[in-house]
Amino acid sequence: MAAKPTACLALADGTVFYGMGFGAPGEVVAELVFNTAMTGYQEIMTDPSYASQIVTFTFPHIGNTGVTAEDDEAQDPVASGIVVRWDPTEPSNWRSTSELTDWMARRGRIGIGGVDTRRLTRAIRQQGAPHVVLAHDPDGNFDIEAMIARARDWQGLVGLDLAKDVSCAQSYRWDEGAWQWGAGFSTAPQDKPFKVVALDYGAKRNILRSLVAYGAEVTVLPASATAEEVMAHEPEGVFLSNGPGDPAATGAYAVPMIKDLLARDMPIFGICLGHQMLALALGARTVKMSHGHHGANHPVRDVETGKVEITSMNHGFAVDSQSLPRGVIETHVSLFDGSNCGIRMADRPVFSVQHHPEAAPGPQDSLYLFQRFTDSMRARRG
Ligand SMILES: NC(=O)CC[C@H](N)C(=O)O
């Protein structure tokens, strides 16, 4: 007889998937997405942009390289849970310090294994990212009707401001150094480090390391910081980080703060949520996508050079390119669906991208954007 299921995933439309639970017991409501990356499950789970989302990995071998603190993009896993094809096996990797399942249990994150992730991914593509409840009970007792009702009643990510929840509480100086693989590109030896203020809306650590690798010294400020607080650090450039939730829901604090910064005329670089909020501050609109982009193999075309970059992506909202005001140029587009992936101001060093150039996990094709930010600060010095 097959083992009794110890986890279950209920979609708001009433579809239910059963499997074997791992990680922490409990129940969570979230948006369900799928990620097609073949590596980097730990970086994905600890990317703060995944707050209030459950990740279905389309790649079946999850857990086989274990976990190591060095790969955390934030203190704790931020994704609410994961769905995998096969139960995680014992890790086999020299860097591993813990098993994924134990690590998730310690950090209160739920996993379900043994799910037909192909069928589930097709459901996500057809329905758009569904609202779901994921439950793990070692005794296998589930109130399915209550779970479906909870998924149905959940407000979802539209209008939800999560950036302030995952942001740091206090400002701090990033002193964990540069990204080692990126260090070869560093401009630091020629230049006195460029003073950068990074606004933390849920920043991934490898972005901060990449800024340092390209010659910056970074002070991180909380999402609630005002333009005056930013300027008090006398930055040569400002970085707007990635983060979770609806960019338009940050309209009470981040968007007006960025407008204020724009009036002060300085180099600004934004990634993902930072890109979306910069676009809002410039007068554009953002929209919710159907099931978003989550993977490490997304082709993006640099409209200005014609070059194609393979990128790492994680977003469920997008900038509506039709809404870009005069003076704001679309610089990058997704080759999957033509959606906007980058903008710049025509006459100022203010630019941002939807994808993740810091390449953790994923390809390194877009690292040149950090160089572009450094170059714009150097030009101002000159
Ligand atoms: N990675 C991100 O910064 C994601 C931005 C935003 N929360 C979105 O889903 O589109």
Side-chain angles (χ1 to χ4, degrees):
M1 195 182 84
K4 189 178 177 189
T6 53
C8 117
L9 177 75
L11 278 57
D13 76 344
T15 314
V16 179
F17 289 79
Y18 290 94
M20 301 312 288
F22 58 88
E27 187 184 291
V28 66
V29 64
E31 181 186 274
L32 182 69
V33 297
F34 65 87
N35 188 308
T36 54
M38 293 173 74
T39 59
Y41 54 80
Q42 188 185 339
E43 288 92 332
I44 290 165
M45 290 180 69
T46 54
D47 173 353
S49 313
Y50 277 113
S52 283
Q53 289 178 316
I54 291 169
V55 183
T56 305
F57 288 104
T58 59
F59 187 68
H61 301 279
I62 298 301
N64 54 355
T65 53
V67 291
T68 169
E70 285 173 21
D71 290 351
D72 283 344
E73 289 292 350
Q75 188 77 15
D76 276 319
V78 193
S80 300
I82 62 171
V83 182
V84 300
R85 177 72 192 95
W86 291 342
D87 295 338
T89 49
E90 286 212 354
S92 172
N93 187 284
W94 65 276
R95 295 176 69 240
S96 173
T97 56
S98 177
E99 290 199 23
L100 174 67
T101 49
D102 296 343
W103 178 81
M104 286 177 63
R106 282 197 301 276
R107 288 165 158 84
R109 290 300 186 266
I110 304 174
I112 179 171
V115 170
D116 181 349
T117 47
R118 283 192 177 202
R119 186 179 148 223
L120 183 58
T121 298
R122 288 172 71 93
I124 297 169
R125 285 182 64 96
Q126 278 154 13
Q127 297 181 15
H131 298 174
V132 300
V133 167
L134 173 63
H136 171 201
D137 174 18
D139 296 326
N141 297 321
F142 304 106
D143 183 343
I144 300 296
E145 290 312 315
M147 286 172 67
I148 295 169
R150 189 177 172 206
R152 225 170 249 159
D153 291 346
W154 187 55
Q155 72 159 102
L157 291 179
V158 175
L160 200 58
D161 173 21
L162 296 169
K164 61 171 175 4
D165 297 347
V166 295
S167 177
C168 59
Q170 308 267 326
S171 66
Y172 66 96
R173 181 71 178 270
W174 175 256
D175 58 9
E176 290 180 39
W179 184 37
Q180 290 308 307
W181 291 355
F185 302 96
S186 172
T187 58
Q190 299 109 281
D191 299 304
K192 191 154 103 358
F194 295 96
K195 285 170 84 173
V196 169
V197 164
L199 274 307
D200 176 14
Y201 303 107
K204 289 170 68 184
R205 289 177 179 163
N206 214 46
I207 294 181
L208 305 177
R209 286 189 208 107
S210 299
L211 289 167
V212 174
Y214 282 87
E217 61 179 33
V218 180
T219 304
V220 185
L221 260 57
S224 58
T226 62
E228 280 70 31
E229 284 162 349
V230 172
M231 296 311 291
H233 291 271
E234 300 180 342
E236 297 176 86
V238 174
F239 172 74
L240 308 170
S241 86
N242 63 296
D246 185 345
T250 67
Y253 61 104
V255 173
M257 190 286 292
I258 298 166
K259 274 191 191 155
D260 205 340
L261 284 182
L262 286 168
R264 295 164 201 252
D265 187 20
M266 67 161 59
I268 299 178
F269 176 29
I271 291 178
C272 216
L273 183 70
H275 162 67
Q276 298 163 352
M277 296 185 308
L278 175 64
L280 290 169
L282 288 165
R285 252 193 333 264
T286 52
V287 291
K288 180 86 167 82
M289 303 166 85
S290 148
H291 53 276
H293 292 154
H294 310 273
N297 60 346
H298 285 234
V300 164
R301 187 158 54 87
D302 181 330
V303 179
E304 298 183 294
T305 62
K307 204 169 158 186
V308 175
E309 310 160 30
I310 302 301
T311 72
S312 180
M313 288 269 194
N314 167 26
H315 67 115
F317 294 83
V319 173
D320 175 2
S321 51
Q322 298 302 316
S323 71
L324 292 176
R326 193 187 287 270
V328 179
I329 295 168
E330 177 166 71
T331 56
H332 297 76
V333 292
S334 162
L335 290 181
F336 277 168
D337 60 10
S339 60
N340 173 266
C341 288
I343 57 170
R344 71 175 174 88
M345 286 183 78
D347 54 355
R348 279 162 53 180
V350 171
F351 67 100
S352 58
V353 286
Q354 184 62 73
H355 45 285
H356 280 263
E358 76 280 3
Q364 301 176 21
D365 301 17
S366 308
L367 279 173
Y368 70 91
L369 291 157
F370 289 98
Q371 185 67 59
R372 185 172 290 176
F373 185 43
T374 301
D375 288 346
S376 65
M377 292 187 284
R378 185 184 300 106
R380 285 290 160 111
R381 258 187 199 172

